[in-house]
Amino acid sequence: MSYFSSFVERASPSGNFNGTPPDHLPAENGLHIWRAAVIMPFFTFAFVALRFYTRTYLLRTRKYTIDDYIVMLSMLVCIAHAVLMAIATYNGMGLHAWQYDEELNSRYYLWIGITSEFYVLGLMGFKSALLLLYVQLFGVYAKFRLACYTTLFFCMGYLFCNLTTEFLGCHPIKKKWEPDLPGHCINSIATATFYGACNMASDLVIAILPLTMIWKLQVATKLQKVGLSLVLSSGFAAWAVAVARWGIATYDLVGTEDRTWWAGVSFTLSILEINTGLICACVATLSPLWKLAYAQVKDWTGWTGPCSSKEATWPSFVRKPPYSHSSEETRRPSGPYPNRAVGGHGLPAGRESRVLAYNGSTLTSHYEDEYGLLDASGWHPHGIRDDGSQRSTEGV
């Protein structure tokens, strides 16, 4: 409680609007922005590197797909955004309103525009990466695939509008950072509130979408469903940061005169948001790495449990254990189009995605998904029952 009180006091001191900047920058909230900009990309890069280590060395993937390239580009965007935010702290970002002179005020609004463009690109990156991963896992179900693409279209739509209005919202454009120029600008409060609400709502939808499929899977226990939910719905973390940022930004717009100081809090959360979102997009692809680490720990400790054999704990795509029922015939669907999923939907290029059969209430599985995320039920590989027969696809 004492910390919160001191925080409010720092946010609302009896300032003197004398336009005297601090002797040394960054200062005030600018210092926190600078620290977040320096630290967060290192954490994010570690998860991105683990993702590509898993893809390249554990899964031995020869070709990357569109979500991999999106993650690569998003990592570069996060780094660029962090660098620009750190520079912006030397241009007034995070100071109190009464610490600005006319020249510093102009530089401040210019750097807001520059950093906001990269922030929006970062949002585009992690949202699309998560949605494309969901399509690869559960896209055989037409309604779910439609929901994912609709959400993707909505996200790209409002974010593209955000990109264009960030600099084109004023005429002339220079009026954005030189407000005394003749001309006009769109209502910044209305647009910021609208884009923030869209961002918060889309993050929530993206986090909930996989839950609608996970709880229809025929996995062994509810605990395993909870585990899958935690992995695939890690986007709730990005949503929580988006909610906090939207709340601070809304208060900054309509609830305080010291807008620049509170904007510093919002900008710090924007760094956390796009980096957290990209981390969430990578966490779901690290299942083979976690399984490999789990098997190593069991080897080192000598622990034996219900599934003591290495075949039960070591991913088949890392160490190829001989399965008595696995054969080329059982690994591929029958029919004239062996590479097509149930319902005639093509599998993503470069992926051996799991084919799911849907009977109206539950999902069953026929083939391993590339990351092994759906192997939580104790199924034998390649959709073989204990008696050696294949699961039926009737009712799809």
Side-chain angles (χ1 to χ4, degrees), residues 15 21 48 84 86 93 111 126 159 170 174 194 197 199 216 227 232 267 269 275 277 281 325 344 356:
V48 172
L84 292 171
M93 188 171 285
W111 279 95
F126 84 78
L159 289 172
C170 289
K174 198 174 181 180
F194 172 74
N199 187 41
K216 293 175 183 177
L232 289 177
F267 292 136
L269 292 175
N275 283 274
H325 296 297
L356 298 175

Side-chain angles (χ1 to χ4, degrees), residues 127-191:
K127 289 174 190 286
S128 57
L130 280 170
L131 288 168
L132 291 174
L133 175 63
Y134 300 161
V135 170
Q136 291 165 19
L137 290 174
F138 305 111
V140 71
Y141 183 36
K143 291 182 179 180
F144 180 81
R145 188 173 64 254
L146 177 61
C148 287
Y149 284 131
T150 301
T151 305
L152 182 61
F153 177 79
F154 170 75
C155 291
M156 296 303 103
Y158 85 82
L159 289 172
F160 178 77
C161 291
N162 196 350
L163 277 175
T164 55
T165 57
E166 187 59 44
F167 269 117
L168 299 180
C170 289
H171 180 76
I173 296 175
K174 198 174 181 180
K175 183 175 174 60
K176 180 177 179 63
W177 59 90
E178 292 186 10
D180 293 335
L181 289 176
H184 64 275
C185 293
I186 61 175
N187 190 326
S188 60
I189 296 178
T191 54

Side-chain angles (χ1 to χ4, degrees), residues 55 60-65 68 347-353 370:
R55 299 279 286 116
R60 296 184 176 90
T61 302
R62 295 181 180 179
K63 292 183 179 180
Y64 296 129
T65 50
D68 297 315
L347 295 175
R351 307 274 188 178
E352 289 188 14
S353 296
E370 187 176 27

Side-chain angles (χ1 to χ4, degrees), residues 42-364:
F42 285 99
F43 285 102
T44 308
F45 182 80
F47 280 89
V48 172
L50 288 175
R51 174 193 174 107
F52 283 96
Y53 173 80
T54 302
R55 299 279 286 116
T56 305
Y57 294 102
L58 296 187
L59 300 179
R60 296 184 176 90
T61 302
R62 295 181 180 179
K63 292 183 179 180
Y64 296 129
T65 50
I66 184 170
D67 59 316
D68 297 315
Y69 292 112
I70 288 174
V71 168
M72 289 182 193
L73 292 174
S74 298
M75 184 69 253
L76 295 177
V77 168
C78 286
I79 293 173
H81 177 258
V83 170
L84 292 171
M85 290 293 287
I87 296 174
T89 60
Y90 292 92
N91 290 274
M93 188 171 285
L95 295 180
H96 288 290
W98 46 83
Q99 294 176 300
Y100 287 85
D101 56 20
E102 184 176 351
E103 188 270 337
L104 185 60
N105 185 70
S106 179
R107 285 160 45 197
Y108 166 73
Y109 280 104
L110 173 63
W111 279 95
I112 282 183
I114 295 172
T115 57
S116 295
E117 296 290 318
F118 284 86
Y119 166 69
V120 175
L121 289 174
L123 294 177
M124 282 184 170
F126 84 78
K127 289 174 190 286
S128 57
L130 280 170
L131 288 168
L132 291 174
L133 175 63
Y134 300 161
V135 170
Q136 291 165 19
L137 290 174
F138 305 111
V140 71
Y141 183 36
K143 291 182 179 180
F144 180 81
R145 188 173 64 254
L146 177 61
C148 287
Y149 284 131
T150 301
T151 305
L152 182 61
F153 177 79
F154 170 75
C155 291
M156 296 303 103
Y158 85 82
L159 289 172
F160 178 77
C161 291
N162 196 350
L163 277 175
T164 55
T165 57
E166 187 59 44
F167 269 117
L168 299 180
C170 289
H171 180 76
I173 296 175
K174 198 174 181 180
K175 183 175 174 60
K176 180 177 179 63
W177 59 90
E178 292 186 10
D180 293 335
L181 289 176
H184 64 275
C185 293
I186 61 175
N187 190 326
S188 60
I189 296 178
T191 54
T193 303
F194 172 74
Y195 291 139
C198 289
N199 187 41
M200 184 175 59
S202 62
D203 279 345
L204 182 60
V205 171
I206 291 172
I208 291 175
L209 270 174
L211 297 179
T212 63
M213 292 287 100
I214 290 170
W215 290 87
K216 293 175 183 177
L217 286 171
Q218 291 181 338
V219 294
T221 65
K222 289 185 177 181
L223 182 60
Q224 291 166 337
K225 291 183 181 181
V226 171
L228 284 172
S229 299
L230 291 175
V231 171
L232 289 177
S233 291
S234 56
F236 275 115
W239 171 75
V241 178
V243 171
R245 184 184 183 279
W246 188 72
I248 293 294
T250 302
Y251 176 74
D252 176 42
L253 290 171
V254 299
T256 179
E257 293 183 357
D258 194 7
R259 290 185 56 184
T260 55
W261 192 93
W262 281 99
V265 181
S266 178
F267 292 136
T268 304
L269 292 175
S270 71
I271 298 173
L272 298 178
E273 183 180 1
I274 61 173
N275 283 274
T276 301
L278 191 55
I279 289 172
C280 292
C282 294
V283 164
T285 67
L286 302 182
S287 178
L289 190 63
W290 307 142
K291 293 178 182 179
L292 181 60
Y294 174 66
Q296 290 281 22
V297 170
K298 288 185 67 176
D299 283 345
W300 293 336
T301 60
W303 180 83
T304 58
C307 300
S308 58
S309 65
K310 287 183 181 179
E311 290 79 7
T313 58
W314 203 287
S316 60
F317 32 71
V318 176
R319 177 181 294 177
K320 302 290 184 181
Y323 292 102
S324 59
H325 296 297
S326 62
S327 65
E328 187 64 24
E329 289 74 15
T330 58
R331 282 196 293 266
R332 296 182 179 275
S334 59
Y337 302 103
N339 291 324
R340 297 196 54 96
V342 177
H345 304 295
L347 295 175
R351 307 274 188 178
E352 289 188 14
S353 296
R354 180 184 296 274
V355 179
L356 298 175
Y358 181 69
N359 64 9
S361 60
T362 59
L363 287 166
T364 57

